[in-house]
Amino acid sequence: MTHYPDLSRYSYDESDQEMLNVGWLAPEHDYRKGLVDERVVDALRALSVGYDYQMRGIHECEFCGTDRPVILGGPALDTEVWLGSAEIRVRGADGMFYAAPNLVIHYITEHRYCPPEEFCRAVARTVGIEPGEHLTLAE
């Protein structure tokens, strides 16, 4: 998978909507680590079930070599979802769109990746969660 810095302009595929990148990680690049509110993780799991923005090919985790991690996702968090071949896109309150590989869930839960606060707020907003003051705590 290609690395893009967080909040850089999205250019992975053609889209007529301006978006920002989140969670396009690679081992040779440092990333922000910390804690992410469990509500954000559950919201990402809920959003992952549709395999929206399916891409060609499958990407394994380059940090631990896990091939196609599987999570429980969907509204009831009871549907098997394979990670590594789709994106999750969300819209922030300011209208900005964010695009993340669905592997972002694995990166958060297994590698302590801490996405930008504005992305976490957009995720929460998308599923109807009223976020508190902070949804992330970076180290």
Side-chain angles (χ1 to χ4, degrees):
M1 186 165 58
T2 303
H3 170 265
Y4 297 105
D6 280 347
L7 304 180
S8 62
R9 186 160 190 242
Y10 178 87
S11 61
Y12 189 75
D13 73 354
E14 291 185 26
S15 174
D16 54 0
Q17 179 64 50
E18 184 178 352
M19 289 184 278
L20 300 178
N21 293 306
V22 172
W24 297 85
L25 307 182
E28 61 272 10
H29 297 277
D30 289 333
Y31 61 90
R32 184 176 176 236
K33 293 182 181 177
L35 301 174
V36 177
D37 190 308
E38 197 62 36
R39 295 175 300 166
V40 172
V41 176
D42 285 347
L44 285 166
R45 289 175 190 265
L47 294 170
S48 70
V49 76
Y51 293 103
D52 294 331
Y53 310 103
Q54 188 74 35
M55 300 297 169
R56 292 183 182 176
I58 298 167
H59 301 283
E60 69 177 32
C61 176
E62 296 178 31
F63 295 96
C64 66
T66 299
D67 183 30
R68 297 289 318 250
V70 178
I71 61 162
L72 292 177
L77 303 180
D78 63 355
T79 303
E80 275 193 356
V81 177
W82 294 84
L83 304 180
S85 65
E87 294 180 359
I88 297 171
R89 295 181 182 179
V90 292
R91 183 179 182 178
D94 63 356
M96 179 54 69
F97 283 85
Y98 301 90
N102 67 0
L103 268 173
V104 72
I105 301 164
H106 175 79
Y107 295 150
I108 292 168
T109 60
E110 300 299 321
H111 302 292
R112 300 186 44 235
Y113 169 58
C114 188
E117 181 77 23
E118 51 267 58
F119 170 75
C120 292
R121 289 190 171 285
V123 168
R125 178 180 179 272
T126 300
V127 299
I129 295 172
E130 288 297 323
E133 191 169 316
H134 296 286
L135 294 172
T136 63
L137 179 62
E139 295 179 343

